[in-house]
Structures are given as structure tokens and as C-alpha cells.
Amino acid sequence: MTVAAAPLEAAETASGKGSPGERPPGEPRLVGYLYVLPAFAVFACFVLYPLAEALWYSLWEWNGLPSSPATWVGLGNYTDVFTDEELRSAFLHALILLVFYAVLPILIGLLLAGVMARAQVRGLAFFRTILFLPQVIAMVVVAVMWKMIYDPENGALNRFLGWFGIEGKSWLGDFSLALPSVGLIGTWVYFGLAMVLLTAGVQKIPPSLYDAARVDGAGPFREFLAVTLPGLRGEIAVALTLTTIYALRNFDLVYITTQGGPGDSTTVPAFQVFSRAFESSQVGSAAAVGVTLTLVIFLISFTINRVAERSS
């Protein structure tokens, strides 16, 4: 009798129909929401509520003082984002910095990943640690250090160029050089992140795929396009998403190195949010710029991940 009842109990357990007093883990499903409720409460308090309040402020013209009256302007502050030349320049500069913060680091990371796929590098862990170091240094320290390197009088870069008879430049004071100079700092900081992600991804590609490509007569470049690049699709999406977010929300690097200058040649949206909110008392306009920047980051990140999912 006991032997005959055991399979029946096992079948009931497998089908989720236990005794009336027993429920399988996760049932009823509403219990699952209780597990995520604490995290959602924290997320709502520190992300959703401030975002909703910024959205509300963006519909008003207000100087930020509680005693000052606010004037309803509706979408007027958002109209300024597209018509104000200073704000358009800020968003254009942010898109240019994407090349330095996202594209160049990923290209350098892919180059190193391609080399690793064909050759065994001794001391790889040591080199990866060294190249990843800029990621763990506070951005304030990075900005001060590079400001000293770019110094037109005593900077290391101009002294290095002087050894070859090349005239030094005012890297952060020249209208045409300031933005690329800030961008190269971003490349130096973030190429370590891209390299670690991509070189780790190369190690999970089966060696048999490389062997098959070599048997078919594929050279290094063809092997990279046919095996390495498709195998790193997921890692490229992650690296592109992270570096894009870093590029678009960039503030501290610009604030310390150039203060948005010379003129407005290096101003970016995050710097405009700070400047308008705390320097020129345009809280509504600052909130509109912040909300617009959030939407741009969300749309670009969503597009990158959708493309990566479809291609995989």
C-alpha cells in the first residue's frame, strides 16, 4: 500500500497539486511581488519620485526660491531645448563625445581581442589590471591629472612634443582642440572597461570555430569578421550601452577641466543642467534639459539592446 502510494505523491508534487495545506514554492504568484516590493520601494523613492518631480518642475518658469512665484509655461522649456542655440550645441557636443567615449574604446578593445584570439599573451591578467586602472580612479582625480598634462606652460604633453620640435598647444583653451582633448580623456578612461569585457568574451568562443576557419583558409582579418566579431555581439552591446551612458551624462570631467569653455565649445547637457539650476536660477529650464537627456539616454540604450537581441 505504501509502495503504491509513493508514485502517486510524486506525481502530485510534480504537477503542483500537493495536499490542501501545502503549496509549491512561488505559489500563489502574487507572493512573488512581495519579494521585489522592498527593492521597488527604494527605486520609487530615489528614482521615480525625483524623476516625476523634475518633470513637474520642467513645466514651470521658476528661479528655485520657495518664496518666488512660479509661472506656468507648459512645454515652453522643452521648445527651448530644440531652439536655443546654446542647448543644441550642448547636445551636439555630447553626441561628438560618443565617438571618444564609446566608439574608440570599443574599437581598441576589439583590436586587442582579435590579437588575443590568435596569440597567447603571457601575463595577460597583469596587463588587463594595468589597463583597467583608469576605471577605478575617481573622475575628479583623472580630470585634475589630465589638466596638468594639458597645461600649455609646464604640461607633460607639450614638453614631450617639444623634444621633437613640435610647438605646444593650448589644448583646453583652443576652440577647436578643447572638445577632442576632453574626449581623449574619456577614451583613456573607458577603453579599459571595453577591453576587459571583450577579452573576457573571446575566451568563451570555442577554439574549434577558429580551427575550422583556418582549415577553410581564412586569414586573420577574415577570421576576425567570421568568428570573433559574431561571438562578441553580446559583450559589444554591453560595452556600448555602458560607455554611451557615461558619455551622455558626462559632467565632472567637463566641469573640472574646462568649465564648458572656451566660450561654450565643451558644454554638454549635464553641465547645462548644473549651470542653469545653480548659477543662473533657471530651475524649470534645467529640469527640461535633464528630462530630455534622460529620454535620449533611454532611447539610445533601448535601441542598442533591441538591435543586439534581434541579431542574436
Side-chain angles (χ1 to χ4, degrees), residues 12-100:
E12 289 178 344
T13 302
S15 61
K17 298 178 180 179
S19 61
E22 296 179 357
R23 289 174 178 166
E27 293 293 343
R29 291 188 179 276
L30 288 177
V31 174
Y33 292 105
L34 292 178
Y35 292 112
V36 300
L37 184 59
F40 179 77
V42 173
F43 182 77
C45 287
F46 293 99
V47 177
L48 296 183
Y49 175 71
L51 184 61
E53 195 161 14
L55 186 62
W56 176 246
Y57 286 161
S58 69
L59 304 177
W60 297 81
E61 184 179 347
W62 182 43
N63 62 8
L65 297 176
S67 58
S68 300
T71 304
W72 173 263
V73 294
L75 298 178
N77 288 324
Y78 291 96
T79 304
D80 292 341
V81 173
F82 297 99
T83 58
D84 188 300
E85 187 176 352
E86 188 178 15
L87 291 178
R88 282 189 302 177
S89 298
F91 278 93
L92 177 62
H93 295 158
L95 295 178
I96 293 174
L97 287 179
L98 275 178
V99 176
F100 293 94

Side-chain angles (χ1 to χ4, degrees), residues 256-269:
I256 294 173
T257 54
T258 65
Q259 294 269 322
D264 61 349
S265 59
T266 59
T267 185
V268 291

Side-chain angles (χ1 to χ4, degrees), residues 89-249:
S89 298
F91 278 93
L92 177 62
H93 295 158
L95 295 178
I96 293 174
L97 287 179
L98 275 178
V99 176
F100 293 94
Y101 280 59
V103 177
L104 286 180
I106 290 176
L107 289 179
I108 296 172
L110 284 174
L111 177 64
L112 295 175
V115 172
M116 278 189 53
R118 291 190 64 87
Q120 294 293 328
V121 181
R122 303 183 70 176
L124 177 63
F126 174 76
F127 289 117
R128 275 200 305 204
T129 303
I130 295 296
L131 296 175
F132 191 72
L133 272 181
Q135 273 288 302
V136 301
I137 301 175
M139 193 58 80
V140 175
V141 178
V142 170
V144 172
M145 181 182 71
W146 275 93
K147 194 174 180 180
M148 296 169 64
I149 293 174
Y150 281 143
D151 187 273
E153 300 296 332
N154 301 309
L157 181 56
N158 278 351
R159 279 190 290 174
F160 176 76
L161 294 176
W163 293 343
F164 302 95
I166 301 175
E167 185 181 359
K169 304 286 185 182
S170 178
W171 301 99
L172 297 175
D174 189 288
F175 280 86
S176 59
L177 294 177
L179 188 62
S181 299
V182 173
L184 287 175
I185 302 175
T187 304
W188 180 78
V189 172
Y190 295 116
F191 95 90
L193 171 67
M195 181 210 62
V196 168
L197 288 172
L198 297 176
T199 54
V202 163
Q203 294 175 352
K204 71 180 179 60
I205 298 176
S208 58
L209 295 180
Y210 289 104
D211 295 336
R214 289 164 190 167
V215 168
D216 289 341
F221 185 67
R222 182 65 181 168
E223 183 182 298
F224 175 80
L225 293 180
V227 180
T228 305
L229 200 56
L232 294 176
R233 195 180 293 116
E235 287 76 9
I236 292 173
V238 172
L240 193 57
T241 301
L242 292 176
T243 52
T244 297
I245 293 173
Y246 293 145
L248 294 177
R249 74 176 190 185

